[in-house]
Amino acid sequence: MDSPFGLLTELTYRCPLACAYCSNPLNLGDYSDELTTDEWRRVLAEARDLGILQCHLSGGEPLLRRDLVELVAEAHGLGLYTNLVTSAFGLSRPRAEQLRAAGLDHVQVSIQADEADASDRIAGTPSFRRKITAMGVVKDLGWPLTVNVVLHRRNIDRVAELLELAEEAGADRVELANTQYYGWAWRNRDALLPSRAQLDAAEVVVRAARERLRDRMDVLYVLPDYYSRYPKPCMGGWASRQLTVTPNGDVLPCPAAQSLPLPRANVREATLARIWAEAPVMTAFRGTDWMPQPCRGCDRRELDFGGCRCQAFQLTGDAARTDPVCHLSPDHHLVARAVEAANAGSPARDLPLIPRPHRGSPTGVPGAAG
């Protein structure tokens, strides 16, 4: 077991957007008892002692934490590389200058589409213009900029325009990540899963952009699991490289693991080091001993680690099953059926989306700085 190098701090699940593909949990109310500033400080110190090198500040929308600047300064002082993962809704120049002075190292801005009307419709909030302005501020202040786009049936046909937008914004990196079907995205899967023809067309565009932009911008393109022959490795192996701390202090091996029926481990009850080494939520699927067949006898078992436990549970109700994405899985028909529907010419594009509800406001939280 290696020590983790990455910490995802989900500071709050409050968010001004209402994206229908949001991976945040469905039961948002269960996470309203957010960690205080002092509790987050302790978590950051324990992360440093555990060997963490990178701290990703996310949510929800982390800018809704009024103590964000203070937490960035704390992480910076501990020697952690800090990355703000944001919708950019609320990233004004004064706030950005405060974060720069506090030592923030990198900014990742999400965008929903390349046009204002489409972006605002997908986000459920007029936000496109603010995002474009915020990206300009990020570059003006000298930060590296990553532009993140969650791709799905309703925006993947405009990959070329999305890449052009990122290029014009001066992005150093663009992530074109097809939707992963957890949380709210699971509820909207039938309306979001793209067709094979859409994916093939997007891949041609991405391949050409990678070649053209190879000296100026990194282009990452992540296919949807459902179209893969083998599953992707789960975060490099269950609880082997990174961990997530949710707004209320639960510790997870990945952001989606809150859905699994495993005992909770919380930073209010134990240290990060103890949770990492001993908590059932961290040890349940480490290594390969837990694997069923066909994973146990497969020569890929230490390459993809049986695939995603959260996806296996989402699709089969059993987190220990082989990920149904794998063509060798006895449950692969569950994925094949969804892919077949996405390619059957059904009016999926016209299905109504269930938006993630707006939740919270930029007011403070207990213990947060004013």
Side-chain angles (χ1 to χ4, degrees), residues 236-359:
W238 184 268
S240 67
R241 297 182 181 180
Q242 301 187 59
L243 52 79
T244 295
V245 180
T246 67
N248 70 335
D250 286 346
V251 184
L252 304 169
C254 76
Q258 47 76 26
S259 64
L260 301 184
L262 293 170
R264 288 290 180 256
N266 194 284
V267 296
R268 287 169 167 155
E269 300 167 0
T271 65
L272 271 187
R274 183 174 180 183
I275 292 170
W276 177 256
E278 302 176 11
V281 71
M282 292 292 165
T283 61
F285 302 111
R286 267 197 183 121
T288 59
D289 290 346
W290 62 271
M291 289 183 176
Q293 294 291 5
C295 296
R296 183 180 291 273
C298 181
D299 59 6
R300 293 181 56 88
R301 63 185 177 277
E302 293 189 16
L303 295 176
D304 56 37
F305 305 100
C308 177
R309 299 300 88 223
C310 303
Q311 191 156 254
F313 178 73
Q314 187 83 72
L315 289 165
T316 73
D318 182 356
R321 297 281 287 182
T322 298
D323 187 338
V325 160
C326 183
H327 74 287
L328 300 173
S329 167
D331 303 305
H332 182 65
H333 64 279
L334 299 173
V335 170
R337 190 182 303 150
V339 169
E340 183 180 355
N343 288 275
S346 62
R349 187 185 302 272
D350 300 323
L351 290 174
L353 292 172
I354 304 171
R356 177 198 191 275
H358 296 279
R359 182 172 177 273

Side-chain angles (χ1 to χ4, degrees), residues 53-56 75-76 79-83 105-107 144:
L53 302 174
Q54 302 172 358
C55 176
H56 304 277
H76 177 74
L80 303 178
Y81 183 89
T82 51
N83 172 37
D105 293 298
H106 182 275
V107 179

Side-chain angles (χ1 to χ4, degrees), residues 191-224:
L192 294 175
L193 187 64
S195 69
R196 170 63 73 180
Q198 287 181 300
L199 291 170
D200 289 347
E203 192 165 357
V204 171
V205 173
V206 171
R207 191 181 303 118
R210 279 179 175 156
E211 179 65 22
R212 180 174 61 83
L213 299 169
R214 64 181 184 274
D215 297 326
R216 287 180 285 154
M217 186 171 74
D218 291 332
V219 179
L220 175 67
Y221 179 60
V222 182
L223 279 170

Side-chain angles (χ1 to χ4, degrees), residues 15-150:
C15 185
L17 305 189
C19 303
Y21 53 77
C22 182
S23 61
N24 284 169
L26 300 178
N27 54 328
L28 294 172
D30 291 353
Y31 298 87
S32 58
D33 184 17
E34 298 178 4
L35 296 180
T36 66
T37 306
D38 287 343
E39 287 173 323
W40 274 118
R41 281 175 165 171
R42 177 172 57 79
V43 168
L44 293 171
E46 291 179 1
R48 187 273 313 273
D49 293 344
L50 189 56
I52 295 289
L53 302 174
Q54 302 172 358
C55 176
H56 304 277
L57 303 137
S58 183
E61 176 47 68
L63 288 166
L64 293 181
R65 286 283 302 212
R66 283 170 44 181
D67 57 353
L68 179 60
V69 172
E70 190 174 344
L71 295 177
V72 167
E74 185 73 17
H76 177 74
L78 291 166
L80 303 178
Y81 183 89
T82 51
N83 172 37
L84 179 65
V85 182
T86 177
S87 70
F89 197 99
L91 186 60
S92 63
R93 178 173 286 273
R95 191 82 182 280
E97 290 173 346
Q98 291 174 343
L99 290 165
R100 195 72 170 111
L104 183 66
D105 293 298
H106 182 275
V107 179
Q108 174 180 310
V109 176
S110 66
I111 194 140
Q112 283 68 35
D114 64 290
E115 298 174 318
D117 288 349
S119 182
D120 293 347
R121 183 169 60 253
I122 294 169
T125 304
S127 53
F128 180 82
R129 300 300 176 194
R130 296 194 189 197
K131 290 172 180 287
I132 299 301
T133 299
M135 285 190 273
V137 170
V138 168
K139 296 307 296 182
D140 285 348
L141 294 180
W143 272 308
L145 170 65
T146 292
V147 173
N148 174 269
V149 187
V150 177

Side-chain angles (χ1 to χ4, degrees), residues 6-23:
L7 171 68
L8 176 63
T9 60
E10 296 186 319
L11 299 178
T12 181
Y13 286 148
R14 290 173 290 140
C15 185
L17 305 189
C19 303
Y21 53 77
C22 182
S23 61

